[in-house]
């Protein structure tokens, strides 16, 4: 095979010794289109030259995984469509920026778990590179080895400032910006696409049926940061995921609120909002979106015991508060709300029923009336009075109210503070022991 390297179009090189690499992979391979470099674990005092003398004019796909100490100088690409680099260290970020500059037909760019170095050539271009063909972009867990020596502490933000691209079918950003003092919500808006961009992507349109598939947004606020995902309906392939760890909630909240501003031809129809409250000011995350008709599901978790009663009372008050809509009519806050989940609550059912009575029974106030009102608790105290249930049953416009205990919430923050433990609550793990009050009366299933 080695005698025919000059004819190869695809190759994978896995953990070669320095001797093997120098003997077989330094000659030219002018026809090579796809190359993967995997798991070079050998600890040697010197770097490896880039395979095939770095002259790969027709290379279209490059994948590098766990490959250490590679010399990128004088590497020549020009036809790359796919770049996938992960779990590498000592990689100069200016080389990545140069690679992007020289390959503006990129369709897939994935950079994951890379410890970058910076050189004297690390500069911010005044003119961003336009990647008009980009279909998928992933920038995850990128960091500088010596962030104090560069003017931008976060390579993710620097790369995003360096490029411009259309709405991608797959977009994922995982980063932490706690040490970037200059970042604010307007800066995030300038580099991060809005979730509405993916919802407006042409891939969601079906030209044969003239129907538009719908995606729904999930946003979770916690002290670890903000997690945003756009999930898809069956048969649709796209992705939007942003995780901003250790970022002030005031910044992420203002960015998301501005990113979701209405724009012509794009309407957010389903929005699941999760808020984990560890201090009273975190209620601002709820208030900021209370006017959105798109919020169909609200999940609220409380970790601070001394705030529990005050936060519970305030939230129930908010949910039964009228406000003016854009059209001038009087509506309840969260006018499209279908489901509420309370995590870490004591289960004061009587207060919840009072909220339901006020939300759906206030004359002259519009509120969406779902067929079934669902209230999920972590702990259900069953302190519901029968006469309260009779009053609720008389409200028209819904068939049943479901009260139930959330059996497990694996997605809220763990006490250990693990950054991977705070993702939005899922639909799984709800207790089957539901209390139901319906047109036929009260019963326990």
């Amino acid at each position: 095979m080695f005698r025919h390297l000059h004819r190869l179009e695809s190759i994978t090189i896995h953990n070669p010794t320095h001797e093997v690499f120098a003997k077989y992979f330094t000659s030219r391979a002018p026809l090579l289109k796809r190359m993967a470099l995997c798991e070079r674990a050998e600890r040697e005092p010197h770097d490896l030259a880039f395979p095939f003398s770095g002259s790969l004019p027709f290379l279209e796909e490059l994948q590098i995984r766990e490959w250490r100490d590679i010399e990128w100088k004088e590497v020549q690409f020009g036809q790359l469509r796919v770049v996938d680099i992960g779990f590498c260290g000592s990689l100069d970020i200016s080389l990545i920026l140069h690679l992007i500059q020289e390959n503006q037909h990129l369709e897939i760019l994935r950079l994951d778990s890379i410890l970058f170095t910076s050189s004297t050539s690390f500069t911010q271009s005044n003119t961003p590179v336009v990647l008009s063909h980009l279909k998928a972009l992933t920038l995850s867990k990128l960091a500088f080895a010596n962030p104090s020596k560069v003017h931008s502490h976060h390579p993710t933000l620097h790369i995003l400032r360096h490029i411009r691209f259309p709405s991608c079918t797959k977009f994922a950003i995982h980063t932490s910006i706690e040490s970037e003092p200059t970042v604010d919500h307007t800066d995030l808006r300038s580099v991060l696409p809005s979730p509405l961009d993916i919802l407006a992507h042409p891939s969601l349109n079906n030209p044969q049926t003239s129907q538009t598939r719908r995606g729904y947004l999930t946003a979770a606020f916690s002290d670890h940061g903000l997690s945003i995902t756009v999930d898809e309906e069956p048969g649709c392939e796209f992705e939007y995921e942003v995780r901003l760890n250790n970022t002030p909630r005031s910044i992420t909240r203002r960015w998301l609120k501005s990113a979701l501003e209405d724009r012509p031809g794009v309407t957010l129809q389903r929005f699941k909002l999760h808020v984990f409250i560890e201090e009273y000011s975190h209620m601002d995350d709820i208030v900021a979106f209370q006017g959105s008709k798109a919020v169909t599901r609200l999940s609220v978790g409380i970790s601070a015991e001394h705030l529990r009663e005050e936060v519970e009372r305030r939230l129930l008050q908010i949910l039964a508060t009228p406000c003016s809509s854009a059209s001038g009519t009087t509506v309840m806050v969260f006018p499209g709300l279908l489901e509420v989940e309370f995590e870490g609550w004591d289960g004061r059912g009587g207060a919840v029923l009072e909220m339901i009575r006020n939300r759906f029974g206030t004359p002259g106030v519009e509120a969406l009336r779902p067929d079934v009102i669902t209230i999920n608790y972590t702990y259900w105290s069953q302190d519901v009075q029968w006469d309260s249930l009779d009053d609720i049953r008389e409200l028209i416009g819904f068939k049943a109210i479901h009260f139930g205990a959330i059996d497990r919430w694996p997605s809220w923050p763990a006490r250990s503070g693990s950054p991977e433990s705070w993702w939005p609550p899922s639909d799984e793990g709800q207790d089957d022991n539901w209390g139901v009050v319906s047109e036929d009366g009260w019963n326990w299933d």
Side-chain angles (χ1 to χ4, degrees):
M1 181 195 76
F2 296 110
R3 291 178 299 179
H4 302 286
L5 283 176
H6 62 286
R7 301 179 184 176
L8 289 181
E9 294 187 1
S10 178
I11 192 169
T12 297
I13 304 175
H14 184 273
N15 195 21
T17 64
H18 184 268
E19 289 75 16
V20 168
F21 188 91
K23 182 176 181 179
Y24 296 110
F25 300 115
T26 55
S27 59
R28 295 183 181 276
L31 301 182
L32 203 61
K33 294 183 179 180
R34 293 171 294 276
M35 181 171 66
L37 309 178
C38 308
E39 298 184 22
R40 182 180 182 251
E42 182 183 8
R43 301 293 179 181
E44 295 190 6
H46 47 271
D47 298 346
L48 290 181
F50 203 90
F52 311 112
S53 301
S55 180
L56 299 164
F58 298 106
L59 193 69
E60 297 180 3
E61 300 179 16
L62 173 64
Q63 182 184 60
I64 302 177
R65 278 286 184 273
E66 299 183 49
W67 190 281
R68 59 179 298 274
D69 300 334
I70 188 170
E71 180 57 67
W72 282 74
K73 293 180 179 179
E74 299 181 2
V75 175
Q76 299 177 15
F77 300 123
Q79 303 291 330
L80 284 175
R81 295 183 301 102
V82 178
V83 173
D84 186 353
I85 303 175
F87 301 93
C88 297
S90 302
L91 186 59
D92 193 325
I93 192 171
S94 63
L95 297 176
I96 294 296
L97 298 178
H98 178 73
L99 181 149
I100 294 173
Q101 176 72 45
E102 296 300 315
N103 295 269
Q104 298 185 22
H105 285 77
L106 278 173
E107 297 177 11
I108 297 175
L109 176 60
R110 298 191 185 101
L111 304 176
D112 181 19
S113 302
I114 300 175
L115 188 63
F116 285 108
T117 62
S118 60
S119 67
T120 55
S121 59
F122 181 87
T123 57
Q124 172 69 52
S125 174
N126 293 327
T127 305
V129 177
V130 178
L131 302 178
S132 58
H133 299 275
L134 197 65
K135 298 178 181 178
L137 174 65
T138 299
L139 303 176
S140 177
K141 301 176 183 177
L142 310 181
F144 282 119
N146 297 298
S148 62
K149 296 183 178 181
V150 295
H151 59 266
S152 176
H153 295 178
H154 300 283
T156 297
L157 294 182
H158 184 76
I159 293 172
L160 287 173
R161 291 173 182 135
H162 185 79
I163 62 178
R164 292 292 180 269
F165 50 93
S167 176
C168 298
T169 55
K170 296 185 182 297
F171 176 83
I173 299 295
H174 306 161
T175 190
S176 172
I177 61 174
E178 61 178 330
S179 59
E180 184 70 82
T182 62
V183 171
D184 59 19
H185 79 282
T186 57
D187 190 38
L188 288 180
R189 188 166 187 177
S190 70
V191 296
L192 292 178
S194 166
L196 297 184
D197 292 337
I198 190 66
L199 295 175
H201 196 276
S203 66
L204 297 183
N205 298 321
N206 188 332
Q208 297 180 347
T209 62
S210 299
Q211 293 180 347
T212 299
R213 297 187 179 97
R214 296 190 304 169
Y216 59 88
L217 172 71
T218 300
F221 290 90
S222 85
D223 261 10
H224 291 285
L226 171 65
S227 165
I228 304 173
T229 57
V230 174
D231 300 301
E232 61 185 81
E233 288 186 342
C236 193
E237 296 184 1
F238 65 88
E239 174 186 355
Y240 180 97
E241 183 175 356
V242 173
R243 301 182 188 179
L244 302 176
N245 294 348
N246 304 310
T247 309
R249 290 167 80 144
S250 60
I251 292 178
T252 55
R253 179 173 61 247
R254 293 178 67 188
W255 166 72
L256 181 59
K257 187 173 176 61
S258 64
L260 297 181
E261 292 177 351
D262 291 337
R263 64 187 68 185
V266 184
T267 301
L268 179 62
Q269 297 176 317
R270 293 181 294 175
F271 180 9
K272 299 180 180 180
L273 177 63
H274 306 277
V275 179
F276 195 74
I277 296 176
E278 294 163 298
E279 56 185 69
Y280 192 77
S281 63
H282 296 163
M283 291 290 292
D284 293 343
D285 298 334
I286 298 173
V287 174
F289 299 97
Q290 66 181 14
S292 174
K293 293 181 63 176
V295 178
T296 57
R297 176 175 170 183
L298 175 65
S299 298
V300 181
I302 307 173
S303 66
E305 185 66 32
H306 68 285
L307 294 175
R308 189 177 308 281
E309 184 175 348
E310 184 179 6
V311 169
E312 290 180 10
R313 181 173 60 252
R314 175 59 178 149
L315 178 60
L316 294 177
Q317 180 185 21
I318 289 174
L319 292 177
T321 300
C323 64
S324 296
S325 68
S327 61
T329 59
T330 302
V331 299
M332 283 292 172
V333 298
F334 297 109
L337 193 63
L338 298 174
E339 184 175 359
V340 181
E341 294 180 330
F342 301 139
E343 192 274 332
W345 285 44
D346 291 335
R348 296 182 177 86
V352 174
L353 289 179
E354 181 66 20
M355 179 273 291
I356 294 174
R357 181 186 296 108
N358 292 332
R359 182 174 178 86
F360 297 104
T362 302
V365 179
E366 295 182 10
L368 179 65
R369 296 173 183 251
D371 286 342
V372 178
I373 300 174
T374 302
I375 306 292
N376 299 330
Y377 280 93
T378 305
Y379 311 107
W380 176 246
S381 65
Q382 303 180 33
D383 65 339
V384 179
Q385 302 299 317
W386 288 101
D387 55 352
S388 298
L389 294 175
D390 290 337
D391 292 342
I392 294 297
R393 283 174 52 201
E394 294 177 359
L395 292 173
I396 61 173
F398 61 88
K399 297 179 180 179
I401 305 175
H402 284 216
F403 297 91
I406 303 172
D407 184 50
R408 56 187 175 87
W409 281 62
S411 305
W412 282 118
R415 287 295 181 183
S416 63
S418 169
E420 301 299 329
S421 64
W422 61 277
W423 303 121
S426 67
D427 295 325
E428 301 176 355
Q430 295 179 355
D431 200 320
D432 292 332
N433 188 24
W434 291 95
V436 180
V437 55
S438 66
E439 295 171 348
D440 300 323
W442 173 268
N443 66 80
W444 284 97
D445 291 345

